[in-house]
Amino acid sequence: MKIILDAGHGYSTSGKRSPDGMREYEFNRAVADLAKEMLGKYQNTEVFFAHSDERDVPLAERTALANKQNADCYVSIHANAYGTGSWNSAGGIETYVYPSKPREALALAQKIQRNLISATGLRDRGVKTADFQVLRDTKMTAVLVECGFMTNKEEASLLRTPLYRKRCAQAIVKAIAEQYGLRKNDKIKQYKVQVAFSEKQLAEKLAGNLQKDGFNATIIE
């Protein structure tokens, strides 16, 4: 299964930032990076980015890439804004599909919305429709998610935190996995570290510390 993750906009996109200077793209790309890493733990999945850290990729280029890849799913990740750029009380999470409400896209959007609200506790603004280019010109199931408002002081603070970004990524990935019945890889890579000591007491001390941290540690003479 091919999945396109699209971190909306770019570092230099004009106006796409919070009143105190956080660039929207900083949040978008962080969530996309986390989501890609999480999706890599599922069987038979390939994840591609439609965005670039080097420039604000034009929307036509993003959708063309997705169509060329013959992807199954396109998720555009954003942070919202309201007003003229100053702090205000607008807040919450909303997810968008194309106005024709394609059945699969609507189902995915509903799952993403439900999981994001559950994970974040923010206001549920619901699943909405819009004639966004990334929803209109993609040939696969496509949704756009707004993960909170940069112009809401409390939500902007959340958007900056690694924990909130991780929760958003987890919610999006969980929804994709539910929608397509993805299964996690059975085999988990394991790595061994061997250390030699001249004194057994030092080995026992290190083994004890590792066990406290939840690792299996064995001393071999």
Side-chain angles (χ1 to χ4, degrees):
M1 177 177 179
K2 291 184 179 181
I3 301 165
I4 303 291
L5 296 178
D6 172 23
H9 311 296
Y11 276 124
S12 60
T13 307
S14 177
K16 299 295 182 179
R17 62 186 64 199
S18 67
D20 60 356
M22 184 195 76
R23 293 179 175 88
E24 180 187 345
Y25 184 73
E26 295 174 22
F27 170 80
N28 300 344
R29 76 179 292 273
V31 175
D33 284 344
L34 289 166
K36 182 177 182 180
E37 181 182 349
M38 294 172 191
L39 285 166
K41 298 177 182 178
Y42 287 87
Q43 299 175 15
N44 304 316
T45 58
E46 292 182 275
V47 182
F48 302 90
F49 286 153
H51 57 277
S52 169
D53 287 349
E54 304 301 320
R55 61 194 177 99
D56 186 344
V57 180
L59 297 179
E61 195 173 323
R62 298 183 192 226
T63 57
L65 169 69
N67 292 335
K68 184 178 180 180
Q69 288 289 348
N70 196 27
D72 300 285
C73 173
Y74 187 106
V75 179
S76 188
I77 300 165
H78 291 257
N80 218 335
Y82 179 77
T84 57
S86 58
W87 297 118
N88 57 71
S89 61
I93 290 172
E94 56 196 22
T95 307
Y96 286 87
V97 297
Y98 191 62
S100 63
K101 294 185 179 179
R103 181 181 299 178
E104 189 170 297
L106 182 60
L108 176 59
Q110 290 169 339
K111 290 181 177 68
I112 289 176
Q113 183 71 15
R114 182 183 71 245
N115 281 304
L116 278 170
I117 298 305
S118 176
T120 67
L122 294 190
R123 175 188 168 193
D124 186 354
R125 298 173 65 92
V127 174
K128 302 181 178 182
T129 63
D131 187 22
F132 295 141
Q133 188 169 348
V134 294
L135 304 179
R136 181 180 65 247
D137 292 348
T138 42
K139 297 178 181 178
M140 71 292 303
T141 293
V143 301
L144 184 147
V145 58
E146 298 278 8
C147 298
F149 278 74
M150 295 185 296
T151 46
N152 179 303
K153 188 171 286 189
E154 290 74 23
E155 293 185 11
S157 295
L158 288 174
L159 291 166
R160 290 178 180 274
T161 65
L163 178 59
Y164 185 81
R165 294 173 179 185
K166 183 177 181 180
R167 285 176 176 172
C168 289
Q170 288 173 329
I172 292 168
V173 169
K174 183 178 179 181
I176 294 173
E178 289 175 0
Q179 177 73 17
Y180 296 102
L182 301 183
R183 298 178 61 185
K184 285 193 174 181
N185 292 312
D186 295 328
K187 294 182 179 179
I188 301 175
K189 287 185 179 180
Q190 293 186 335
Y191 301 91
K192 294 182 179 180
V193 178
Q194 292 181 320
V195 182
F197 293 95
S198 58
E199 298 181 22
K200 186 176 182 180
Q201 183 179 1
L202 294 175
E204 290 173 338
K205 182 179 179 180
L206 177 59
N209 290 336
L210 289 170
Q211 288 167 355
K212 288 179 182 178
D213 290 334
F215 297 100
N216 293 322
T218 303
I219 298 176
I220 301 174
E221 295 185 8

